[in-house]
Amino acid sequence: MITIRPSRPEDGPRAVEIWRQAVDATHHFLLPEDRAALDALVSSFLPQAPLWLAVDAQDHPLAFMLIDNGHMEALFVDPAARGQGLGAALVRHGLSLHAQMSTDVNEQNAQAVGFYEKMGFRRTGRSEVDGQGRPYPLIHLTYGSA
């Protein structure tokens, strides 16, 4: 059984571990130096961030989501737990809190773009660079009537 709960301070290292494993499994387009820079950035803030976690029956985190003012900043699933509906469950939880939630996804991550579109998100724009100004285009997506 999967439960969704807010993160606690002791969940920080596991959240970083999930992020690293998920990025290594899905973000093959990142240059090694960009992957290292992102790792340093994420490791510095993720452990303290207010996350929503999908946890198993033993309360072990398997996936997480970060929402800031109705914008989903992050959704990452442990690769060993992919295909179990964890990402969808987290998105549904986020939508219960923010009916017109938005997110950005790397254009090169076609599987993620497809996931969000299947969940009902619509493309609302595109940026040539990511949030750090790197050459990784982003697709902007919104759920709801925005």
Side-chain angles (χ1 to χ4, degrees):
M1 180 173 137
I2 298 300
T3 304
I4 296 175
R5 67 163 174 83
S7 61
R8 300 184 290 256
E10 63 268 21
D11 296 318
R14 175 64 180 142
V16 172
E17 179 182 12
I18 291 169
W19 180 86
R20 286 179 176 144
Q21 291 172 348
V23 167
D24 289 347
T26 61
H27 289 59
H28 305 288
F29 52 88
L30 291 175
L31 294 173
E33 59 270 21
D34 292 335
R35 167 64 174 79
L38 286 169
D39 191 283
L41 177 68
V42 168
S43 296
S44 72
F45 80 85
L46 193 62
Q48 297 81 31
L51 306 174
W52 288 103
L53 301 176
V55 299
D56 64 15
Q58 290 74 43
D59 199 39
H60 181 70
L62 301 173
F64 72 84
M65 175 177 61
L66 172 60
I67 301 175
D68 184 27
N69 292 320
H71 184 78
M72 186 187 337
E73 297 287 347
L75 176 68
F76 289 94
V77 177
D78 182 327
R82 285 182 66 189
Q84 299 178 22
L86 302 174
L90 283 167
V91 168
R92 285 191 299 272
H93 181 75
L95 290 169
S96 75
L97 302 171
H98 306 280
Q100 293 185 325
M101 191 164 59
S102 62
T103 194
D104 298 321
V105 63
N106 290 104
E107 185 175 67
Q108 298 100 319
N109 192 347
Q111 189 174 25
V113 174
F115 166 78
Y116 287 113
E117 289 179 337
K118 182 179 175 186
M119 292 294 301
F121 285 76
R122 292 184 322 279
R123 294 178 190 220
T124 56
R126 181 181 183 275
S127 298
E128 285 293 323
V129 296
D130 68 10
Q132 290 77 41
R134 293 184 178 93
Y136 301 110
L138 295 176
I139 302 294
H140 308 297
L141 301 159
T142 301
Y143 188 93
S145 60

